[in-house]
Amino acid sequence: MKIESDSVAQAWKALEESIIYYYGHPVGTVAARDPDVEALNYNHCFVRDFVSSALIFLMNGKPDIVRNFLVETLSLQSATKQMDCFNAGQGLMPASFKVVSNYGDQYLTPDFGEHAIARVTPVDSSLWWLILLRTYVKATGDFELAHEPEFQKGIILILKLCLADRFDMFPTMLVPDGSFMIDRRMGVYGHPLEIQALFYGALRSARELLAPSRQGEIYIQFINQRLSTLNYHIRRYYWLDLKRLNEIYRYRGEEFGETAVNKFNIYPDSIPDWLREWMPERGGYLAGNIGPSWMDFRFFAQGNLLAIVYSLASFQESQSIMDLIEKRWDNLIGNMPMKICFPAVEGLEWRILTGCDPKNVPWSYHNGGNWPVLLWPLIASAQKTGRTELAKQAISIAEKRLLEDQWPEYYDGKNGRLIGKEARKYQTWTISGYLVAKELMNNPDHLKIFSFDEDPEVLEESCSQVS
Ligand code: GLC
């Protein structure tokens, strides 16, 4: 009880200290406030990080900061995003921004990736922005904000960027490496699951936010089509359980033409050794990625959890993902919920996939580290699937450490026992993620503001497309 009340009180204090102000108004929260490490860009407000803070503010009747954030980031959307004179696509939202003060003047400087390490493209920012706008509207009923012409323009710019015709055969979104929470090279280019789950959530958000108009109707049609093909594609091709593994294990290769069973030409030998033993009898998950003769068999937590929260995974699949987490608790939860991906890549694979990244060594950081921010999507998924016992256990594990360890960004090791070698302390999304998780336990109704139920129309559509 004592740890619990201290943790909550201290988390709120730290969260309030992380707020950044623009001309006296709260507009966001910094990524981290570690007193002992050089800030680099951790003194920026990251769009993806702010979502955790926004949720807890909205759940506690403090929507102003979220509103200000949405307004200010929208104004940055049309800022120049240049690298070496090349302009990035309109509609892109920055990875992060910061407030710069100069002789009494203040301005916001965005980073669209042109400053970020390795110049990664923040594809997820625009998707998170749409999802957050819908969450804000759900929590406050303030449709007026979303219906303002500037907001409608911003929504459509993002949709244009996402739905543009490209050199691609699949309804999933094609992105470069490191375009989301994993913002370094990790072999997550192509069609990574997390981006697809966010894409699905963003499309469902946009559908609710578009104001009635001719243009709005046209976009709603595009969105509906895309939602059903995306839903079909992910459920059909990304899903993995023992039954599917058996099918893949006995796949024939080199099939040509429409009747091919093994559509992506996945060779059975590419099933990694670890998975043969690791896949439980009951349980399953969505694979990390799919491409030509390529299935990334790693388990990525955020993609799987968001697939549950946004109903990209079916009811049955959602239950199975929770079964897997329960059965492989030591690997996926361990001493700190929860592991960002499992297993780590090692040896030559690590050299090739990460480019020898010393921060992403096996079982550290993005490469198999444990990230406390994942507590909130984990608890949300547990609530949505009625698995509250798992939620309680996960929170009590996190609670044992977070306050004492000063809210680290991530933990290292196979079981997440060590504070990450280069982890920041007082990492804001660790703090707000914990508070969101606690709040969801106290009031499961909050789930409604950021989740989506299964949409039967999407399903009907996708069935009619295959038959
Ligand atoms: C790191 C993480 C990224 C996060 C940022 C700020 O770059 O990889 O996901 O948004 O730190 O916390």
Side-chain angles (χ1 to χ4, degrees), residues 110-129:
D111 179 12
F112 289 91
E114 73 276 26
H115 298 296
I117 294 170
R119 306 297 183 259
V120 278
T121 318
V123 178
D124 65 339
S125 285
S126 310
L127 308 174
W128 275 121
W129 187 86

Side-chain angles (χ1 to χ4, degrees), residues 235 313-320 384-385 454:
R235 290 188 187 180
S314 68
F315 174 82
Q316 196 42 55
E317 287 166 357
S318 301
Q319 290 294 338
S320 295
K384 191 152 184 280
T385 50
E454 180 84 286

